[in-house]
Each structure stands twice: as C-alpha cells, then as structure tokens.
C-alpha cells in the first residue's frame, strides 16, 4: 500500500450525485424552515475536525425533531436516490460527515430528549442528539452515570455511529458493550427496532452491534437504550510524572497485568503537557505524565492507588499527586480533554492530522516509542495522548494545510504508525472510525474478503447507496 499523495487528505475523491430541485422543493414543503439551503448553514454541516478542507457542502440541511421527521426525510431522499448524511455535533475526526457525493445533511441535534430512565434496570433511553454531558446531568439525581467519555461533548448518536470509547473504556468498555437496543430508520425510510432492554439475548442476528460502528452507512439511529452505572462511592484521581514515555507505558502495563481495576489511565507526552499548561494555565511537570482515576469504596480506591504508586516508583515515577475533591478532578480532566484544542492553539493557523491506533497492551511501548522517534525525526509539531489502559493512543500532527511538504510528511508518518500497529496485531483505529481517511487501512487490516462481506451487507440494506456514501469502503 502506497502512502497517500501530498494533498489526498485535503482533497478526497469526489463523486457528486445530482440532488434534483424537486427533492429540495419536497423537503421544503414538508419541513418548512427546518430545511435550509443557506450557504452558511450548509458549510457548517460540510466540515468536521478532520484535515479534509476542500469538500463541497451538502445541497441542503434538514433539522429533524422526531423519528417521523427522519423517516420522512429519508423516504423523500430515497425516491430521488439522493445521499443522506446524519449529523450530530460535527466533532468527528476522519471525515465521517462530509458530503463527498453531495446530498442532504440530516441534523438530529434537536432530537435531544432523555426519553426514559429505568434506574432499577440500570438503563436509559435517549434520542441521538443528546450529548454525553447532558445525559449525565439529567441522570445524576438517580445516583447513576453513563461512563463512556471520548473527550469531546459528542452526541450519543455520533458515539454509537463510530463505536466510541475514551478515557473510561479500560473499566467500563466501549459503546459496543453499552448499547442495548436501537430504533433505526433504514435506507427505505422504514423504522425498525433492534435488541431489548434485557441484559442478554440469543434471538437471531445481533443487529444492534451491526449498526453500532456503521458510521451512518446503514441507517439513522433515532432512539438508543444504554447501560448506566451506579456512581462510585469514592473517586480518587492522581497524576504522576515519569522520566520517559517507556517508563509510563510499562507502569500502565504492569498495573493492568496485576489486575488493578483502574477506571482511567491516560498518558500525555511532555510536549502535550507543555501545551496543556499554556492553554489551561497549569503548572504540571513538562515530562511524560500519567493521569489516573480509581473508582470504588474509600478503602478500595486507597488500596488501588497505593499499589499503582508503588508500581510507578519502580519505573521512576515521581511527583505522585492526589486529587480528591470534585473540583481538583474536574480541573485535571478538563485539561486532558482540552489537549486537542491546546495543541491547535500552540500553532496558530494549523490543522491537525489526527490518527489513532490500538494494539495489544504488551506491544504498546513498541508502537508508541517507534512512532515518537519518527515524529521527532520529521521535525513536525505533534502531540500524543493515549487511553493506554486499553492499548489505544492518538497522535496529532500539526500542519500548515497550505504547505504541501508538511501535508505529505504527516500522511507518511500516519501511514507508518498505522502499518506498525497492524503488524503488531492491532487495529488501524481504536475509536475514531474509518470515515474517509482510513479506508485503505481497513482493507489491509481485515482483508478484501471481509470488506466484500461488508459491501454485501451494505448493498442488501442500502441498494441505492444513499446512506452516507463514500465512507468506510468504496462500492
């Protein structure tokens, strides 16, 4: 597989499909002011946080407020075989929501109601536009919380679509483990339901898992039932600085292999800590750092933290500091979640070519250290953060989008990093998804036979290829 050309990540292959004026008129008749063709609205829905910058916006934006709205919009689009691209909050990183084949952006952000809370069963049902912060705010009075935390205040629908995970995945799993049932509008406009609120089922194909991670290419999710969890009795956060990335990674590996039930363990390299300090006005030691969190009983979290402190000391960890109050923990985790924005601000005018991989935890040090060495040798500005408890890490290469040499260099580094992860038995993406940017890597990871099965499923459920076409794989 050859590395992409200098501008491939900025100008993806476009295959525009006509959106007839009759369809726009029909949408405007059905939705009135909730169907917009204003350029500023279309442009807002034609970009995300990916490095792709030269993609035309969708032909129109429909703001759905109910399942019936979604079904009607998809039914009309299907009559004219026009693409439909679901849109949440626009925080995707791999070009998922870009209208590479034209079409209609279907914005579900106004579908933002928590529909039911079943505290006794530890489940909650929401519309797709509910964000993770909103969800936790609405259920906190029940003593429960939803743990999946990808960093951005993403919508639940978008998190399902990309099979998101994030900082808590090492203990609570990913969206794959935490979605019980879905209501989905299919490519024909039909409304179906998958799964039940029961904890397990052996009834037929697992359609819920099929749609989770499908990136909007098989249907539009309109209701989602999630697992929720009791708020831990005690929460303890800690930070620890290390002399090297290798020392921090080996501390993490030992912690996991010893069975310490750590809830979060995040790694920032020295450059990322420096960027975060400048952005959030902190004074953390600007060396590789682990940011950890422990959940459980007061005695349990104390024991866990002391065990990890001993492990860290064996690997040269210093300045082990506790954050016990909610304010202290919030300050630290807000700084971690803002690492992306801190990096962007560190080089005004830049864009980030952000990539992520996940490898078996025993291979994490090899994957990270070689990738860091390549990035350092390149001279490009970059940042590195990792959900290292499950072998997942992210690198963002900060480039001038108008500099062809930097664009090509970032793509080359991305190619080497992902290829290394695949060779170590890992995956080309731990949580960002495939979108546009990693389509070639999917073929390398799974093989053409597996991708052909995916194509077969896609053609069966979406014969006219209207659901977010041009993503994950080409038809």
């Amino acid at each position: 597989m050859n590395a992409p050309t200098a501008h491939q990540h900025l100008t993806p292959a476009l295959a525009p499909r006509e959106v007839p004026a009759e369809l726009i008129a029909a949408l405007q008749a059905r939705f009135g002011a909730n169907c917009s063709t204003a350029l500023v609205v279309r442009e807002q829905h034609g970009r995300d946080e990916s490095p792709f910058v030269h993609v035309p916006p969708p032909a129109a934006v429909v703001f759905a407020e109910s399942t019936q709205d979604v079904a009607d919009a998809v039914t009309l689009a299907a009559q004219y075989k026009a693409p439909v691209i679901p849109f949440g909050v626009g925080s995707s990183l791999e070009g998922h929501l870009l209208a590479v084949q034209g079409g209609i952006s279907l914005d579900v952000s106004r579908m933002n109601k928590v529909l039911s809370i079943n505290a006794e069963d530890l489940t909650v049902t929401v519309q797709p536009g509910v964000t993770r912060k909103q969800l936790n705010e609405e259920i906190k009075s029940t003593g429960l919380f939803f743990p999946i935390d990808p960093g951005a205040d993403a919508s639940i629908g978008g998190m399902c679509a990309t099979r998101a995970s994030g900082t808590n995945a090492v203990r609570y799993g990913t969206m794959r483990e935490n979605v019980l049932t879905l209501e989905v509008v299919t490519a024909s406009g039909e409304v179906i339901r998958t799964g039940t609120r029961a904890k397990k089922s052996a009834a037929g194909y697992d359609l819920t898992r099929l749609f989770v991670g499908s990136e909007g290419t098989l249907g539009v999710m309109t209701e989602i039932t999630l697992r929720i969890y009791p708020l831990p009795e005690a929460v303890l956060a800690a930070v620890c600085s290390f002399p090297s990335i290798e020392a921090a990674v080996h501390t993490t590996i030992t912690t996991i292999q010893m069975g310490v039930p750590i809830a979060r363990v995040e790694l920032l390299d020295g450059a990322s800590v420096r960027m975060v300090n400048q952005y959030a006005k902190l004074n953390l030691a600007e060396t590789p750092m682990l940011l950890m969190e422990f959940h459980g009983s007061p005695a349990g979290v104390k024991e866990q933290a002391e065990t990890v402190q001993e492990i860290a000391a064996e690997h040269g960890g210093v300045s082990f500091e506790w954050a016990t109050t909610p304010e202290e923990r919030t300050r630290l985790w807000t700084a971690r979640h803002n690492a992306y924005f801190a990096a962007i601000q560190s080089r005004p005018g830049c864009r980030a070519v952000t990539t992520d991989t996940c490898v078996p935890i025993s291979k994490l040090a090899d994957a990270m250290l070689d990738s860091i060495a390549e990035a350092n040798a390149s001279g490009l500005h970059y940042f590195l953060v990792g959900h290292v408890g499950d072998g997942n890490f992210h690198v963002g290469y900060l480039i001038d989008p108008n500099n062809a040499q930097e664009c090509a260099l970032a793509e080359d580094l991305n190619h080497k990093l992902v290829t290394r992860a695949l060779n170590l038995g890992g995956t080309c993406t731990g949580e960002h998804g495939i979108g546009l940017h990693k389509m070639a890597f999917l073929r390398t990871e799974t093989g053409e036979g597996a991708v052909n099965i995916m194509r077969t499923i896609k053609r069966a459920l979406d014969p006219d290829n209207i659901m977010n076409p041009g993503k994950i794989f080409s038809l």
Side-chain angles (χ1 to χ4, degrees):
M1 179 172 54
N2 296 322
T5 59
H7 288 286
Q8 183 173 334
H9 72 296
L10 298 180
T11 311
L14 302 176
R17 292 154 66 174
E18 181 184 2
V19 176
E22 294 86 352
L23 171 58
I24 302 297
L27 290 169
Q28 290 174 331
R30 165 62 177 82
F31 292 98
N34 283 350
C35 176
S36 176
T37 57
L39 180 59
V40 66
V41 176
R42 293 190 292 118
E43 287 181 338
Q44 177 191 354
H45 289 75
R47 60 174 179 263
D48 58 8
E49 296 296 330
S50 74
F52 298 96
V53 294
H54 299 303
V55 180
V61 177
V62 172
F63 294 90
E65 297 181 354
S66 67
T67 297
Q68 191 61 55
D69 283 353
V70 173
D72 288 350
V74 173
T75 298
L76 286 170
Q79 291 176 11
Y80 294 92
K81 299 183 180 181
V84 176
I85 306 106
F87 184 98
V89 297
S91 59
S92 57
L93 291 164
E94 302 290 357
H96 299 89
L97 56 82
L98 303 183
V100 291
Q101 294 191 20
I104 307 302
S105 178
L106 184 55
D107 188 321
V108 297
S109 62
R110 297 180 186 177
M111 296 177 65
N112 59 358
K113 296 182 178 63
V114 175
L115 299 173
S116 65
I117 302 170
N118 299 283
E120 299 87 351
D121 296 325
L122 300 179
T123 68
V124 62
T125 299
V126 303
Q127 292 181 309
V130 171
T131 65
R132 65 174 185 87
K133 289 182 180 179
Q134 175 195 348
L135 173 57
N136 277 320
E137 186 65 27
E138 293 201 29
I139 66 174
K140 69 178 182 180
S141 63
T142 66
L144 302 169
F145 82 120
F146 180 63
I148 310 304
D149 177 7
D153 190 20
S155 67
I156 299 298
M159 291 168 63
C160 288
T162 56
R163 203 184 298 125
S165 52
T167 60
N168 278 318
V170 64
R171 177 155 183 171
Y172 297 98
T174 72
M175 292 301 284
R176 180 181 63 187
E177 291 79 37
N178 287 284
V179 178
L180 290 171
T181 178
L182 297 169
E183 180 183 82
V184 179
V185 175
T186 69
S188 66
E190 180 183 5
V191 181
I192 67 167
R193 299 194 70 86
T194 75
T196 70
R197 290 198 300 112
K199 292 188 69 173
K200 61 182 181 180
S201 172
Y205 293 169
D206 192 344
L207 296 181
T208 302
R209 300 298 174 275
L210 176 63
F211 283 101
V212 173
S214 62
E215 302 184 14
T217 62
L218 299 179
V220 184
M221 302 174 201
T222 51
E223 286 186 17
I224 301 154
T225 299
L226 303 164
R227 299 180 190 272
I228 48 180
Y229 297 79
L231 283 164
E233 182 183 359
V235 178
L236 179 62
V239 293
C240 186
S241 298
F242 290 86
S244 67
I245 289 281
E246 187 173 16
V249 170
H250 284 303
T251 295
T252 304
I253 292 172
T254 304
T255 297
I256 300 301
Q257 290 176 341
M258 287 185 64
V260 178
I262 194 167
R264 292 174 165 179
V265 54
E266 295 287 296
L267 171 68
L268 283 77
D269 72 334
S272 298
V273 176
R274 182 171 61 255
M275 294 171 185
V276 165
N277 276 344
Q278 293 172 351
Y279 184 84
K281 305 298 187 290
L282 300 177
N283 58 355
L284 300 167
E286 294 180 354
T287 61
M289 181 188 78
L290 287 181
L291 174 55
M292 298 163 279
E293 192 167 279
F294 307 89
H295 294 177
S297 67
V301 298
K302 183 175 183 294
E303 180 181 2
Q304 294 168 33
E306 289 175 347
T307 299
V308 174
Q309 186 172 14
E310 292 175 3
I311 295 170
E314 292 174 2
H315 292 283
V318 296
S319 303
F320 202 97
E321 299 180 9
W322 311 100
T324 55
T325 68
E327 294 77 16
E328 290 172 331
R329 294 198 307 271
T330 298
R331 180 175 64 92
L332 288 174
W333 286 111
T334 298
R336 161 61 186 91
H337 289 332
N338 286 336
Y340 174 84
F341 301 105
I344 294 293
Q345 185 172 291
S346 73
R347 191 183 184 195
C350 76
R351 288 187 73 89
V353 177
T354 308
T355 190
D356 86 307
T357 60
C358 189
V359 297
I361 194 167
S362 63
K363 303 297 184 182
L364 182 59
D366 294 337
M368 292 184 71
L369 293 173
D370 288 348
S371 298
I372 289 169
E374 289 170 350
N376 286 334
S378 76
L380 273 186
H381 298 272
Y382 72 95
F383 66 96
L384 182 147
V385 297
H387 312 313
V388 288
D390 50 18
N392 184 202
F393 69 99
H394 309 250
V395 179
Y397 305 105
L398 305 176
I399 63 164
D400 174 356
N402 298 312
N403 185 317
Q405 183 177 2
E406 289 190 6
C407 294
L409 186 54
E411 286 295 348
D412 183 58
L413 289 170
N414 174 51
H415 178 270
K416 290 177 179 177
L417 183 153
V418 175
T419 300
R420 178 178 301 109
L422 296 177
N423 290 338
L424 291 172
T427 177
C428 63
T429 175
E431 58 187 18
H432 290 177
I434 296 297
L436 295 172
H437 204 200
K438 291 191 170 178
M439 291 167 66
F441 295 122
L442 178 65
R443 292 196 302 273
T444 302
E445 177 176 330
T446 67
E448 195 65 32
V451 173
N452 281 336
I453 290 177
M454 296 181 203
R455 289 190 178 103
T456 299
I457 294 169
K458 166 73 168 172
R459 292 187 181 109
L461 299 185
D462 181 16
D464 292 321
N465 191 25
I466 67 167
M467 302 307 303
N468 204 13
K471 315 296 166 55
I472 305 182
F473 47 75
S474 58
L475 288 180

